[in-house]
Amino acid sequence: MNHTKGGLVIFTANSHPSSRELGKRIAERLGVELGKVQVYQEANRETRVQIQESVRGKDVFVIQTVSKDVNTTIMEMLIMVYACRTSCARSITGVLPYFPYSKQCKMRKRGSIVSKLIASMMCKAGLTHLITMDLHQKEIQGFFNIPVDNLRASPFLLQYIQEEIPDYRNAVIVAKSPASAKRAQSFAERLRLGIAVIHGEAQDAESDQVDGRHSPPTVKTTGAIHPSMEIPLLIPKEKPPITVVGDVGGRIAIIVDDIIDDVDSFVAAAETLKERGAYKIFVMATHGLLSSEAPRFIEESAIDEVVVTNTIPHELQKLQCPKIKTVDISMILSEAIRRIHNGESMSYLFRNIGVDD
């Protein structure tokens, strides 16, 4: 049954079959057929997009999930959006459940804020609205000059905990670093559980000593600056020993985060929790990138189960590691598309969501 008004077209911008699965689920929930489009790579690795139906005066929604080749994913999205724009679509909404390059949203020494670049490219291509989920930093919304709806996957993960973990009342929500403590606190308050924070894990390997901007001058000059006006140096950080703030002995430990990519920190956290007496360890996150040897490391670790949503296709990783479980979030994405197309309020999808969620 069609749950939308007329004039809606949904495209999937992925040339890889496994990445189109989410688009099919969303289309089925909305009761519409996916739009006809060809997306493929030329022999010289150029991306080509051919839209095979009229989009003139219609609301177009382009669904794009991040494949292993993230740069190709971005180009597919940009070219399809631009093709819809030049075909006189009334509006073009991008549906990117995982926003690529979201970790590069802060200035790092002589680097760049790549998230801002990607946002500018999408707006320039012709995007008029963006639907995404659990941005790595909510401030990324400010990089766009178009409306951005940053949906949350936490209701689906909370439901999984309540329905699939029989003794979840004996659990404790764990933040693997102080940086993820707010997310852990949000889960703990909604489940009426305790919280624990792991402090002292390995920090970033970046060293200020190798960056000339942070280095003192080789020769101390006192002629230009008065001695009383010397700039004080910041005391260097010293990594403390690993400690767990909170009681996890005899409890189920549930580690929560937004992205699981390099699993080394999760494996180390699981070992620490096991040493402190946790008898079962779950890891829950919205985006399961699970790059490189992540499935093998998870399988060989103390982690009992890794739960992620289907914002990113990971069927191959699930075959390599049966500990990986998937939560479907196509329901909230399809409802967001329906509301935007029908001109309805989006506030229903953000009920009970606070600033820190």
Side-chain angles (χ1 to χ4, degrees):
M1 178 180 177
N2 192 319
H3 299 286
T4 65
K5 298 177 183 177
L8 169 69
V9 181
I10 296 178
F11 291 123
T12 57
N14 287 108
S15 58
H16 197 277
S18 65
S19 298
R20 292 199 292 265
E21 183 62 32
L22 181 61
K24 292 178 181 177
R25 288 173 179 262
I26 292 172
E28 287 175 3
R29 289 185 179 276
L30 292 171
V32 299
E33 296 288 333
L34 284 175
K36 297 177 182 178
V37 62
Q38 276 191 329
V39 185
Y40 58 95
Q41 306 296 317
E42 297 275 16
N44 61 358
R45 301 301 297 163
E46 288 185 359
T47 299
R48 184 174 291 274
V49 173
Q50 293 181 341
I51 297 175
Q52 299 177 322
E53 64 179 84
S54 175
V55 296
R56 182 179 294 272
K58 296 183 179 180
D59 293 331
V60 176
F61 291 81
V62 180
I63 301 171
Q64 179 70 310
T65 53
V66 176
S67 62
K68 189 173 182 180
D69 188 351
V70 64
N71 296 323
T72 298
T73 295
I74 294 170
M75 285 306 301
E76 288 177 353
M77 179 76 177
L78 294 174
I79 295 172
M80 179 167 286
V81 168
Y82 188 65
C84 293
R85 176 187 174 185
T86 54
S87 298
C88 301
R90 183 174 68 176
S91 66
I92 308 168
T93 302
V95 183
L96 279 84
Y98 172 70
F99 187 73
Y101 285 93
S102 59
K103 285 188 174 182
Q104 298 188 47
C105 61
K106 295 180 180 179
M107 191 65 180
R108 300 280 185 179
K109 298 184 178 177
R110 295 187 183 89
S112 60
I113 306 176
V114 184
S115 293
K116 169 62 175 173
L117 173 63
I118 301 298
S120 299
M121 291 167 63
M122 289 182 177
C123 293
K124 190 68 175 177
L127 210 62
T128 59
H129 200 132
L130 178 68
I131 300 173
T132 187
M133 180 165 283
D134 282 338
L135 288 170
H136 187 57
Q137 296 289 339
K138 291 186 286 293
E139 292 77 9
I140 293 175
Q141 295 176 77
F143 295 161
F144 291 84
N145 55 13
I146 58 174
V148 177
D149 287 310
N150 181 27
L151 304 176
R152 306 297 196 275
S154 52
F156 297 91
L157 297 176
L158 290 167
Q159 183 181 39
Y160 184 94
I161 292 173
Q162 293 172 318
E163 295 179 357
E164 302 297 330
I165 303 179
D167 196 19
Y168 83 92
R169 289 292 181 188
N170 187 38
V172 59
I173 306 298
V174 179
K176 70 178 180 65
S177 69
S180 56
K182 284 186 177 180
R183 177 179 293 269
Q185 181 182 356
S186 174
F187 273 67
E189 290 175 351
R190 282 167 168 75
L191 293 169
R192 313 299 192 265
L193 299 176
I195 183 174
V197 180
I198 299 175
H199 179 55
E201 81 281 6
Q203 303 295 319
D204 289 339
E206 294 180 292
S207 173
D208 288 344
Q209 295 179 358
V210 301
D211 187 358
R213 292 190 308 164
H214 296 274
S215 302
T218 54
V219 179
K220 186 175 180 181
T221 59
T222 57
I225 303 177
H226 192 275
S228 63
M229 296 176 61
E230 288 187 6
I231 300 173
L233 294 176
L234 190 64
I235 300 173
K237 293 180 180 179
E238 183 177 342
K239 187 177 70 175
I242 294 179
T243 57
V244 178
V245 181
D247 181 23
V248 297
R251 313 280 287 278
I252 299 173
I254 304 175
I255 305 172
V256 296
D257 213 333
D258 62 330
I259 299 173
I260 301 180
D261 188 5
D262 182 7
V263 299
D264 290 346
S265 59
F266 291 95
V267 171
E271 292 175 355
T272 301
L273 293 170
K274 209 76 171 178
E275 293 172 0
R276 301 300 195 279
Y279 72 89
K280 205 165 188 181
I281 299 169
F282 291 80
V283 174
M284 311 200 78
T286 303
H287 310 295
L289 275 69
L290 302 170
S291 303
S292 189
E293 296 294 316
R296 181 174 64 84
F297 292 150
I298 293 171
E299 186 66 26
E300 297 172 355
S301 72
I303 298 171
D304 293 283
E305 196 168 286
V306 173
V307 183
V308 293
T309 71
N310 57 344
T311 55
I312 298 172
H314 51 264
E315 294 304 317
L316 180 60
Q317 289 89 333
K318 288 178 69 175
L319 293 175
Q320 297 172 339
C321 177
K323 291 182 179 181
I324 300 172
K325 308 296 180 183
T326 307
V327 175
D328 182 24
I329 45 82
S330 62
M331 180 188 298
I332 191 171
L333 293 175
S334 59
E335 180 63 12
I337 291 173
R338 188 192 69 80
R339 286 176 174 272
I340 291 172
H341 174 61
N342 293 342
E344 300 177 19
S345 171
M346 294 286 287
S347 60
Y348 178 82
L349 303 180
F350 294 93
R351 292 171 303 166
N352 302 322
I353 291 178
V355 176
D356 295 330
D357 290 329

